């Protein structure tokens, strides 16, 4: 029936949405980590430059 | 009409009609134009039919006719009712979407057009992230 089809399509969309939401969270966490690493390395580099 | 926030996947995944077929080891992305093996398990809840099929659907599809491409699901050899079977279908590279930024998912569709399983989403990307 079309009712069941619409439930199926909604279920599949929710499945995809939940997974993409989880991945977004992981990606944001990695983005944050990489920005921090970059800042640390830039600070280290400018520190080295000041000494020379 | 319910919104996404109102409805979360049912807790009784095994008994839900939509989890009678479980897709295994679905990657986050696949190479476009490369053969794609789709592994899935027919649970004992489903009685397979030679005209059942596995489709690749763009996430957000509304009917089984919205498939991007499909393959007939092979009948398990020596099929015994109410057993569990692992199956594979191999999609040819040239039938697959390009690197188009869209999300897709596998769905198992019966000969009557009923959806019995949906995978987690994936993209087609020329350079996949680590």
């Amino acid at each position: 029936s079309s009712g069941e089809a619409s439930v199926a399509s909604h279920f599949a969309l929710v499945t995809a949405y939940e997974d993409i939401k989880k991945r977004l969270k992981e990606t944001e966490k990695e983005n944050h980590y990489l920005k921090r690493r970059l800042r640390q390395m830039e600070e280290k580099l400018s520190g080295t430059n000041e000494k020379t | 009409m319910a919104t996404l926030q109102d409805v979360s996947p049912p807790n009784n995944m095994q008994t839900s009609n939509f989890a009678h077929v479980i897709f295994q080891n679905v990657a986050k992305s696949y190479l476009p134009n490369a053969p794609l093996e789709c592994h899935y398990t027919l649970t004992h809840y489903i009685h397979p039919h030679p005209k059942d099929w596995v489709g690749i659907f763009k996430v957000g599809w509304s009917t089984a006719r919205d498939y991007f491409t499909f393959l007939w699901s092979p009948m398990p050899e020596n099929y015994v009712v109410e057993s569990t079977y692992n199956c594979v279908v191999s999609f040819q590279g040239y039938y697959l979407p390009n690197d188009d930024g869209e999300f897709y998912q596998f769905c198992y569709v019966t000969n009557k057009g009923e959806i019995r399983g949906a995978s987690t989403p994936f993209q087609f990307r020329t350079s996949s992230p680590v």
Side-chain angles (χ1 to χ4, degrees), chain B residues 39-60:
Chain B
H39 294 256
Y40 55 98
T41 301
L42 303 175
T43 66
H44 65 272
Y45 293 106
I46 192 162
H47 303 298
H49 183 279
K51 287 284 159 119
D52 289 353
W53 50 281
V54 176
I56 294 180
F57 290 75
K58 195 182 277 187
V59 165

Side-chain angles (χ1 to χ4, degrees), chain A residues 4 11, chain B residues 12-24 40-48 83-85 108 110 114-118:
Chain A
E4 200 199 322
F11 175 83
Chain B
N12 52 341
M13 284 288 281
Q14 291 308 312
T15 53
S16 156
N17 281 344
F18 311 120
H20 289 182
V21 176
I22 312 283
F23 290 93
Q24 309 288 357
Y40 55 98
T41 301
L42 303 175
T43 66
H44 65 272
Y45 293 106
I46 192 162
H47 303 298
S83 304
T84 297
Y85 290 94
Y108 187 95
T110 67
E114 304 152 338
I115 310 290
R116 293 302 191 81

